[in-house]
Amino acid sequence: YIYNSYREKMKDSIENKNNTTAENILRIYMDSEPDSKLDKQVKLWLISDFHKEEKEAILQHIWNILSVTDDSGKKRIWDAIQRKTGLKQPKKQILPGKIIWQVSAAILPFILFALGLWFYNNYNKTGQKTEVIAEVIRTTIETMEEIHHLILHDGTEVWLNKNSSFTYGDDRQVHLTGEAFFKVAHHPSEKFVLQTNDIIITVLGTNFNLKIYPEEEIRVTLYEGSLELAIADTTVMMTFGDEWVYNRNQSSCEMNRTSKSGPTWNRETIMYENVPLHSVFKDLERKYGVQIEAYDPAILNDTLTLKFENDIQLSEILFLIARVNGKFDYLIDDKTIRIKQTNN
């Protein structure tokens, strides 16, 4: 384990013999050369029960120096962290006595990152990055080939899918292009407003997924609570289990029902439930960086219900979809997938 693995190094490096074990481990870590094995061991140690009280004391000190002066802002950040970590809430006053371990500017983002990261068991399979937002300046995050998990200053959690753009600031007004799943923290006095180029979603506190990539259909799925959706001069009220789909080409919409408890693109197992193939293929293009061409555009309107592992190979997914659909075969030509009529 990390303490035993690096015991000899600690003996040579620790200057202050009064430091706690946790302080020494983190001091050694910050003084070490980049090492992926050590990074992994430190993160495992952070999420374990070893030296828990010492780690909580360090967290207390970090809490006191957070660059968030507003107590309500700090509380919102901590509420989100506490739900996932189970750590005790820091006291409001500064820790009494001498602070032995001085937190450097470098250690703060690492600890915040680790606190947000440790709850997620499927990190390796889904490739997610977790970030706790302590600063509340207007910021835009662009995701490319990774899924990002954010904990905003108000306690709201956001999972950003690949090839998405998300803007947030010091209020509850955000903007999205792409896809994201929201767990909106409930604040009765302040609505959460999600703006896009096409629609505006207003909620107080709820769980929903918005898929709004350019030139694709818009899909809003509500998993908890209710929300108000505005498009052009129309307002739509959605309740638990509703899924609203808007076809840009036809300027038409429909309301469906879903039995799913949440999206699956950010989980270990992905599930499609009566989803058109054109939407499924777009997801595969983003996920695997390929282009899918269909011999007959009409087949893209066929729907698919299928469940598979997130880390499955593209060839395996195509095989499953082709067998379930039964109307096409496929040819993989480097980064191009050609959907052709079946020979059966």
Side-chain angles (χ1 to χ4, degrees), residues 7 24 33 48 51 74 85 88 90 93 97 112 115 118 121-122 132 136 141 175 184 186 193 244 266 272 280 295 344:
R7 183 181 299 171
N24 288 335
E33 295 296 323
S48 73
H51 316 115
K74 279 189 178 183
T85 64
K88 298 176 182 178
Q93 67 271 19
L112 292 177
L115 288 174
W118 69 26
N121 295 326
N122 300 320
V132 180
V136 290
I141 293 179
H175 188 278
V184 180
H186 184 70
V193 180
W244 182 84
N266 60 340
Y272 288 106
V280 175
Y295 74 94
N344 294 337

Side-chain angles (χ1 to χ4, degrees), residues 26 117 167 198 230 237 298 336:
L26 289 171
L117 173 65
T167 302
D198 300 271
M237 297 301 300
T336 302

Side-chain angles (χ1 to χ4, degrees), residues 204-238:
L204 285 176
T206 188
N207 299 346
F208 69 95
N209 191 88
L210 171 60
K211 186 175 184 181
I212 188 164
Y213 287 101
E215 300 179 2
E216 295 183 31
E217 65 182 15
I218 303 172
R219 188 178 294 265
V220 181
T221 310
L222 184 60
Y223 301 107
E224 182 180 301
S226 61
L227 64 77
E228 179 184 286
L229 184 155
I231 178 169
D233 297 327
T234 303
T235 299
V236 179
M237 297 301 300
M238 295 180 61

